[in-house]
Amino acid sequence: MKLLKLVPDNTNIHFLRWRMPFYIVSVLLMLASYGLLAVNGLNLGVDFVGGQAIRVTFTQDAEAPIPALRDEVDALGYGEPTIQQMGNPNQVSLRMRLPEDDADGGLAAKMTREIVSTIEQAHPGARIDGVESVSGQVSSELFTSGMLALGLAMVGISIYIWLRFEWQFGVGALFALLHDVTLTLGLFSLTQMEFDLNIVAALLTLIGYSLNDNIVVYDRVRENLKKYRRMPLPELLDLSVNETLSRTVVTSLSLLITLLALLLLGPDVIFGFTAAITVGIFVGTYSSIFMATPILIWLGVKPDSFVPTKDSAGDEPDGVTRKA
């Protein structure tokens, strides 16, 4: 049975020894993500920018003829389309912005009919899988509400941890959540995968998972701060992370196996959602160990903030008999 354990008992990994290199790398990745967002932006879906989205499958082609399709649609005079491959090479999502001054939707309907007719004539056998339409005003409101939901969720979680533990823990959790969301958004900006309401839901799910992981580690830190009041803080944090490492690894790996199966075998409609959660769980597990915990040193967490417990003999534990 010992061979089946992912994490051996009584691990003694010195995570905090490498806190500075990991922090430098993480901060650089966050800055790179902000740069990508500023330069490339996000490939916003129709939910957020408004327009017509047409999903097409080229049944007689191994790969969608994207350059030819872009030229054919652009020649209609409605503007250059945004075309993105979906799960399979022969499936694409073609997005067009709504025509201006189209109060009754007549121009949008005409544009869609012409695009669909052009695709069917130029590519016999092509299948139109669906057409979606969202107005620009509704899209703007959806994007604002989605970003507001993300911000309020992060702030609310930090306040909760602040009240449950100490303010340093709330700041540490907020930084870890900001790290996770930023890197996930950076990946979407880099790959230009479509960012829609499903991805906002994935980010909220990621925030909840990261919070759960952080609280598990923080609970153990608080217990050890009460128990080992004379242990140096870096050693105490290492001890806490090592004691929760088995739970963290097993939980994350179990979820990742399921998500990888969905990425490879699941339907295309949830590909972006699954990709966001997969990346989020990976960086969330990383941040709970290398971001949320080491920052407590710089924020000045002290055992004096917690009420000490007594051992069975009535004396305060020595706290230096075991190093992490």
Side-chain angles (χ1 to χ4, degrees), residues 167-180:
W167 69 267
Q168 295 96 331
F169 292 84
V171 173
L174 180 60
F175 180 77
L177 293 177
L178 182 64
H179 167 271
D180 300 344

Side-chain angles (χ1 to χ4, degrees), residues 160-167 169 215 218-219 222 306:
Y160 164 74
I161 294 180
W162 184 339
L163 295 176
R164 178 170 176 177
F165 298 96
E166 293 289 334
W167 69 267
F169 292 84
I215 285 183
Y218 280 171
D219 264 331
R222 180 172 60 176
F306 300 88

Side-chain angles (χ1 to χ4, degrees), residues 130-148:
V131 177
E132 299 174 345
S133 176
V134 181
S135 70
Q137 182 177 358
V138 172
S139 301
S140 177
E141 293 175 356
L142 286 174
F143 184 77
T144 302
S145 299
M147 295 301 102
L148 181 61

Side-chain angles (χ1 to χ4, degrees), residues 216-270:
V216 169
V217 179
Y218 280 171
D219 264 331
R220 188 55 56 91
V221 171
R222 180 172 60 176
E223 292 173 5
N224 287 335
L225 281 170
K226 295 177 182 179
K227 187 177 181 182
Y228 303 111
R229 300 189 68 234
R230 291 195 291 272
M231 179 182 287
L233 188 56
E235 296 180 8
L236 185 144
L237 296 178
D238 268 339
L239 171 63
S240 302
V241 173
N242 277 279
E243 289 178 342
T244 57
L245 188 61
S246 177
R247 179 264 176 203
T248 299
V249 171
V250 171
T251 302
S252 299
L253 187 59
S254 300
L255 288 172
L256 286 174
I257 291 174
T258 304
L259 290 168
L260 287 175
L262 285 175
L263 279 176
L264 298 175
L265 305 174
D268 299 328
V269 69
I270 63 169

